[in-house]
Amino acid sequence: MKNTHHDIPSALIEALRNAQRVVVFTGAGVSAESGIATFRDALTGLWSRFDAQALATPQAFREHPDIVWGWYEWRRAQVLRAAPNAAHYAIAALQRHVPALTIVTQNVDDLHERAGATKVVHLHGSLHAPRCSACGAPHVVDDGPATVSSVIGTHAEAHAETHAETRAGSNADTYADTHADTHAASNADEGRRIPPPACTQCGAPVRPGVVWFGESLPSDAWSTALHAAQQCDLLFSIGTSALVYPAAELPQRALAAGATVVQVNPNATPLDAHAHCNLHGAAADIMPRVLAAAFDQRDEGLKGDHAP
Ligand code: BJW
Ligand code: ZN
């Protein structure tokens, strides 16, 4: 398929209109314009400033739980303050137009859900689902009276205010107190050591609910994603470097099964040589155009510009 920078190829529009099953496979780039850093972008990516081995491995958590937990709390606070962008809204709108559209994300944020998407498959877990490192029991995140789920969709400032008011009169313990401060999510917090809370079931340290290097992906998420990729007519690979396996297998599996594969990314990736169509640009620019071109839903696609 041929395209100029801003044109959506007519063959893609036709493929999308006719598709019965679509997979939208996303990576960090889809949240970049919400202010969430990617991992591997040269100047702005997390791995340009932080050592992945020292933060995103089981060994790092065993050796330095305070550093690892503090870093993930800093990132979780950033996500709480962020809002979905036009790409998240356009993808959620596409889900309402296509008979079956499965969103498979490598992202540990919840911005697809907050844009209105449903049944999002999280291959690499979630910042919002910590669990015990020993017994696996889910840990209920206590952000004070405003829980994580009730914060979702509201203005971060409103949350910060509520939280600040209640903190003033509370007997917060050390963890909760430190935790409250992370809502500021300032750069000063990025290297802050915070002891992980203890599991209420067995007392072991609670760990972030994400998938670190060397760990298996959640088996139900992986099998759902693999099945969707192998059954789809059309797969979008959006904002991912397509370097991390096994997730990066998904576009390859879709290609092997005969699907059309479309990539949205401002930069080159290993998928460029194989995708039927490479749309070079920012997801928040391209995805509303794809939606508008296929379904004439310009207003809906740009809803993110006006949403709270
Ligand atoms: C835009 C944009 C805009 C910018 N619009 N786009 C060789 C050596 C060692 C290990 C391996 C190896 N080969 C394979 C492995 C295994 C390893 C792996 O794949 N490593 C590779 C890096 C080499 N994989 C694993 O370990 C996985 N598990 C596994 O294999 O289990 C089996 C096993 C079990 C036991 C022993 C051994 C194996 C698990 C992988 C888990 C990945 N975890 C992370 C961290 C999650 C927690 C956290 O958030 O901290 O997941 S790593 C990080 O990478 C994160 C992401 O989900 C993942 C993918 O990154 P993504 O999303 O693609 O982001 P970037 O930054 O790479 O790319 C962003 C893209 O956006 C760029 O292309 C930009 O151009 C673009 N962009 N702005 C659109 N506005
Ligand atoms: Zn436990």
Side-chain angles (χ1 to χ4, degrees), residues 131-138 198-206:
R131 66 176 189 275
C132 174
S133 58
C135 74
C199 172
T200 53
Q201 305 295 309
C202 74
V206 168

Side-chain angles (χ1 to χ4, degrees), residues 8-35:
I8 307 302
S10 53
L12 165 56
I13 297 166
E14 276 311 298
L16 184 52
R17 283 184 182 151
N18 294 330
Q20 294 300 306
R21 297 190 188 92
V22 172
V23 169
V24 173
F25 172 55
T26 64
V30 83
S31 296
E33 282 156 286
S34 294

Side-chain angles (χ1 to χ4, degrees), residues 18 23 46 69 71 106 224 273 292 302:
N18 294 330
V23 169
L46 289 170
W69 183 259
W71 190 67
Q106 298 166 86
T224 301
L302 297 176

Side-chain angles (χ1 to χ4, degrees), residues 25-33 37-41 44-47 52-53 55-56 71-72 75 85 87 105-108 123-125 127 210-217 238-247 263-269 281-285:
F25 172 55
T26 64
V30 83
S31 296
E33 282 156 286
T38 65
F39 293 92
R40 296 174 184 79
D41 279 293
T44 55
L46 289 170
W47 298 158
Q53 287 301 319
L55 291 163
W71 190 67
Y72 278 96
R75 286 181 50 205
N85 64 52
T105 190
Q106 298 166 86
N107 296 345
V108 294
L123 291 179
H124 293 162
L127 287 170
V210 302
V211 180
W212 285 321
F213 288 112
E215 293 188 313
S216 297
L217 276 54
I238 307 174
T240 175
S241 58
L243 290 172
V244 174
Y245 282 82
Q263 182 173 226
V264 179
N265 199 312
N267 299 308
T269 82
D285 176 32

